[in-house]
Amino acid sequence: MSDTINYDEFNRQLVQNKIGITAAELHGFLSGILAGGNHDESWRSLVKDMLNNGQVFDASLDEQIKNLYHLTKQQFFNENFEFELLLSSHDLFAQIDDLVGWVNHFLLGIGLAQPKINRLKDDVGEAIYDLRQIVKLGYDESDDEQELGFAFEEIKEYVRITAMLCFDEFNETDISPTIH
């Protein structure tokens, strides 16, 4: 497994296979499933159903999706907070669009893993509410790009931390052995 995913190449594979989702959106979906506590093989069926009407993927694309899933899982479990969002490195507007798509699909993934997530009232419930507001974000291409870039970085970091918060809430992350 590779330690990185080439965003542009992965997007090309998705387009070539007529999958109507970006690499950012797929990463958001997988991140939501993992953050919601789903770690069994059912994630594969969820992805196939969502992306390909339940059909098997091309072997190369299937391998890329598995790599992305395992890399994301590894990042979530890493104690150094290495989890990162997979977003385009193109212009700011493409990155903003990717972030909104990522968040939207994260909410879909976590909602499938945690169907009662709407009922949470604590920090996680508030964070989910915030993510729903982020999905509604818009911009005008005439906006000051420096200010927009600063706001984007702040929101991206908030989304990253929120994903880790959700992961911590719905996953057993204490992997140290119990001493009796």
Side-chain angles (χ1 to χ4, degrees), residues 114 116-122 124-126 128 169-170:
Q114 291 291 327
K116 296 181 181 180
I117 199 152
N118 290 335
R119 297 184 189 152
L120 294 176
K121 302 290 184 209
D122 58 2
V124 173
E126 186 176 315
I128 294 297
E169 177 74 16
F170 299 116

Side-chain angles (χ1 to χ4, degrees), residues 100-155:
V100 170
W102 191 98
V103 171
N104 196 30
H105 285 77
F106 176 85
L107 290 169
L108 177 61
I110 200 167
L112 289 170
Q114 291 291 327
K116 296 181 181 180
I117 199 152
N118 290 335
R119 297 184 189 152
L120 294 176
K121 302 290 184 209
D122 58 2
D123 289 343
V124 173
E126 186 176 315
I128 294 297
Y129 173 81
D130 290 346
L131 291 179
R132 287 192 181 105
Q133 300 311 303
I134 289 170
V135 170
K136 299 175 186 175
L137 285 179
Y139 58 86
D140 187 331
E141 291 191 16
S142 65
D143 287 344
D144 180 288
E145 200 163 328
Q146 187 173 0
E147 285 181 28
L148 197 58
F150 179 74
F152 166 76
E153 290 300 327
E154 292 282 318
I155 293 168

Side-chain angles (χ1 to χ4, degrees), residues 51-69:
L51 301 182
N52 210 24
N53 294 324
Q55 302 301 308
V56 176
F57 292 108
D58 167 78
S60 175
L61 179 58
D62 190 49
E63 191 60 32
Q64 277 288 92
I65 292 170
K66 281 189 230 177
N67 284 344
L68 181 59
Y69 173 84

Side-chain angles (χ1 to χ4, degrees), residues 42-55 57:
S42 67
W43 74 268
R44 296 183 52 70
S45 297
L46 293 171
V47 170
K48 279 194 280 187
D49 287 346
M50 185 182 117
L51 301 182
N52 210 24
N53 294 324
Q55 302 301 308
F57 292 108

Side-chain angles (χ1 to χ4, degrees), residues 13-96:
Q13 274 190 296
L14 292 168
V15 169
Q16 286 172 346
N17 285 275
K18 296 178 176 68
I19 306 298
I21 193 172
T22 67
E25 291 167 334
L26 176 57
H27 185 249
F29 184 67
L30 292 174
S31 297
I33 290 169
L34 285 163
N38 182 322
H39 298 281
D40 62 22
E41 286 300 306
S42 67
W43 74 268
R44 296 183 52 70
S45 297
L46 293 171
V47 170
K48 279 194 280 187
D49 287 346
M50 185 182 117
L51 301 182
N52 210 24
N53 294 324
Q55 302 301 308
V56 176
F57 292 108
D58 167 78
S60 175
L61 179 58
D62 190 49
E63 191 60 32
Q64 277 288 92
I65 292 170
K66 281 189 230 177
N67 284 344
L68 181 59
Y69 173 84
H70 291 294
L71 178 62
T72 304
K73 187 174 182 177
Q74 178 185 344
Q75 287 180 347
F76 267 129
F77 275 106
N78 185 290
E79 59 197 36
N80 295 324
F81 306 108
E82 291 182 1
F83 176 75
E84 292 294 330
L85 309 182
L86 180 63
L87 303 175
S88 166
S89 60
H90 296 285
D91 68 82
L92 177 61
F93 300 110
Q95 290 179 10
I96 293 169

